[in-house]
């Protein structure tokens, strides 16, 4: 979605202790070991990239305006068009809905394509997202990994 305050301070994605992104990425099979936020550049060696939908750091994603999300979606679509990955995964279905103006989107593969790039909305690994456990998130991330193989 956007960098949290800890990410902004460290320059590393999902840097807040307790954020479940790195454990879930490992549990889902995307990485062979549990990585630390400071190792984010190693994701490229696994064919993965990481970026934000909105660049502005906030304590909570709900501090972002609808226009910030829409502009972030436009910029992200332009980046995807330029880089042409096979898949774009947006972590946080709420962020996906706001950025791509798709109010009915659910977690999982989306009908939307950006050029030839397929799109998948994943659950938000923040500890504030109590609807998903690390295990159920890892299952969903694993579905994407299998689809992308």
């Amino acid at each position: 979605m956007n960098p949290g305050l800890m990410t902004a301070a460290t320059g590393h994605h999902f840097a807040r202790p307790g954020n479940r992104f790195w454990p879930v990425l490992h549990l889902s099979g995307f990485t062979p070991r549990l990585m630390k936020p400071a190792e984010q550049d190693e994701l490229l060696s696994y064919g993965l990239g990481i970026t934000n939908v909105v660049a502005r750091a906030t304590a909570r994603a709900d501090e972002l305006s609808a226009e910030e999300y829409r502009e972030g979606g436009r910029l992200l679509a332009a980046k995807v068009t330029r880089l042409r990955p096979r898949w774009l995964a947006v972590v946080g279905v709420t962020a996906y809905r706001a950025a791509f103006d798709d109010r009915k989107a659910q977690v999982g593969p989306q009908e939307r394509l950006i050029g030839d790039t397929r799109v998948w909305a994943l659950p938000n690994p923040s500890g504030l997202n109590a609807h998903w456990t690390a295990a159920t998130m890892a299952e969903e991330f694993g579905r994407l990994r299998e689809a992308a193989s």
Side-chain angles (χ1 to χ4, degrees):
M1 286 185 265
N2 74 306
L5 301 178
M6 181 73 74
T7 291
T10 64
H12 302 127
H13 293 275
F14 302 102
R16 179 166 295 290
N19 187 292
R20 299 172 293 178
F21 176 79
W22 297 102
V24 166
L25 199 65
H26 172 61
L27 289 170
S28 67
F30 271 111
T31 60
R33 63 178 177 81
L34 177 58
M35 296 175 64
K36 297 176 183 153
E39 299 173 308
Q40 68 188 20
D41 291 345
E42 289 181 37
L43 289 175
L44 291 173
S45 68
Y46 303 116
L48 305 171
I50 192 168
T51 191
N52 296 302
V53 173
V54 177
R56 184 169 72 91
T58 60
R60 295 175 51 107
D62 62 8
E63 296 174 37
L64 299 171
S65 71
E67 181 51 39
E68 284 177 292
Y69 274 116
R70 283 191 296 273
E71 178 62 15
R74 286 190 287 272
L75 293 172
L76 182 56
K79 184 182 284 189
V80 167
T81 299
R82 187 178 74 249
L83 297 175
R84 301 176 57 200
R86 289 185 323 149
W87 285 90
L88 167 67
V90 178
V91 177
V93 70
T94 302
Y96 174 81
R97 289 174 184 151
F100 293 100
D101 196 30
D102 186 350
R103 291 186 184 102
K104 295 182 181 182
Q106 298 296 315
V107 168
Q110 305 302 305
E111 291 184 22
R112 170 186 309 274
L113 293 174
I114 301 174
D116 291 331
T117 300
R118 305 246 354 245
V119 180
W120 198 293
L122 290 167
N124 181 349
S126 166
L128 298 174
N129 184 4
H131 300 301
W132 289 80
T133 66
T136 58
M137 276 189 270
E139 288 174 16
E140 187 62 31
F141 276 56
R143 288 182 55 222
L144 168 59
R145 184 184 51 74
E146 289 174 15
S149 331

